Amino acid sequence: MTPLSTLLDRAEAIYLTHGEGSAAYLLDQIEGAIREGAPVQRIRELDHLLQLIEYRQRTLAMYGKN
C-alpha cells in the first residue's frame, strides 16, 4: 500500500497541474486503468487520489481559497 504522505504529494501535484479539472482527469485515469486491466492496487491508488482531490475541493468550497 502506498504511504499517505506519497498519496498527498501526488494529489497536490495533480491539483497543481490540472486545477479544477483534477477530478475529471483522475476519473479518466481510473476508466483507462479498468479498460486496460490494470492491477487492482493501481486502480485503488487512483481512487484514493480522487478521494483526496474531492476532499480538497469540498474543503475549498466550504472554507474558501484563502
Side-chain angles (χ1 to χ4, degrees):
M1 179 174 272
T2 305
L4 180 58
S5 61
T6 302
L7 288 173
L8 289 170
D9 288 343
R10 289 187 62 205
E12 182 70 17
I14 290 168
Y15 192 79
L16 290 173
T17 303
H18 299 282
E20 295 296 320
S22 297
Y25 167 77
L26 283 166
L27 283 172
D28 288 342
Q29 293 294 308
I30 291 169
E31 290 172 358
I34 291 169
R35 274 193 305 275
E36 295 169 5
V40 172
Q41 182 173 349
R42 173 71 179 139
I43 297 167
R44 185 181 306 127
E45 183 177 296
L46 289 168
D47 180 60
H48 289 160
L49 290 168
L50 176 60
Q51 290 177 41
L52 289 169
I53 292 293
E54 288 174 337
Y55 175 78
R56 178 188 178 120
Q57 290 174 336
R58 283 192 311 270
T59 301
L60 288 174
M62 186 179 301
Y63 298 109
K65 296 184 181 194
N66 296 332

